[in-house]
Amino acid sequence: MPVANKEFVLNYAMNRWQLNFKKNVGPTSDSIRICNPSSFEEWSDYYYANVRSKEQINHLGRLLYGHILQDLPGEKRFHPDLLSSITEQDCVDYMHNVVVKRTYRGYLKERGRL
């Protein structure tokens, strides 16, 4: 089995089931440019009010957890102990982190502010 950690599994599953695609999380890059936030809080408020709600991202996190719990064990790609160590909250937090926090971090880099 490949050597992996939680983030690797979360990223793998999120990409595999396209949970971070525009159809699911909305146009994050375009939206952050429209918002032109001066703080993370401004971006976060804008995203959850105008692009996707917190509950929609929570739902994507629960879908991610379902795939990790139900689909990945049968593939025998990852150690069962690693998969069982991933919680639903890990998945929900990861979706919010990728969609909102990492988009903001990328925006700051793009603008030369990081």
Side-chain angles (χ1 to χ4, degrees):
M1 289 186 199
V3 176
N5 59 27
K6 274 188 185 185
E7 183 165 357
F8 183 88
V9 174
L10 291 165
N11 188 58
Y12 169 82
M14 183 184 61
N15 283 298
R16 176 164 176 206
W17 283 284
Q18 303 178 351
L19 298 175
N20 61 334
F21 279 33
K22 189 177 193 176
K23 66 184 178 186
N24 288 313
V25 298
T28 55
S29 297
D30 292 340
S31 297
I32 199 166
R33 290 183 187 110
I34 290 167
C35 176
N36 192 23
S38 57
S39 69
F40 172 74
E41 291 73 22
E42 184 180 348
W43 161 239
S44 178
D45 291 346
Y46 179 89
Y47 178 83
Y48 292 126
N50 297 289
V51 185
R52 295 290 189 271
S53 70
K54 286 183 181 181
E55 182 49 44
Q56 287 172 308
I57 302 304
N58 290 344
H59 175 71
L60 292 174
R62 290 188 296 272
L63 289 175
L64 176 61
Y65 182 66
H67 286 297
I68 290 169
L69 193 65
Q70 297 169 8
D71 300 323
L72 290 185
E75 296 178 5
K76 301 192 186 321
R77 291 180 58 98
F78 303 105
H79 195 280
D81 291 343
L82 173 59
L83 295 180
S84 67
S85 75
I86 298 172
T87 67
E88 183 175 303
Q89 192 61 50
D90 290 333
C91 295
V92 169
D93 292 345
Y94 189 72
M95 287 302 303
H96 285 280
N97 182 27
V98 168
V99 174
V100 182
K101 289 181 183 173
R102 292 188 188 180
T103 298
Y104 184 69
R105 207 172 311 137
Y107 174 77
L108 291 178
K109 283 183 183 178
E110 178 183 280
R111 298 286 188 224
R113 297 184 205 163
L114 188 65

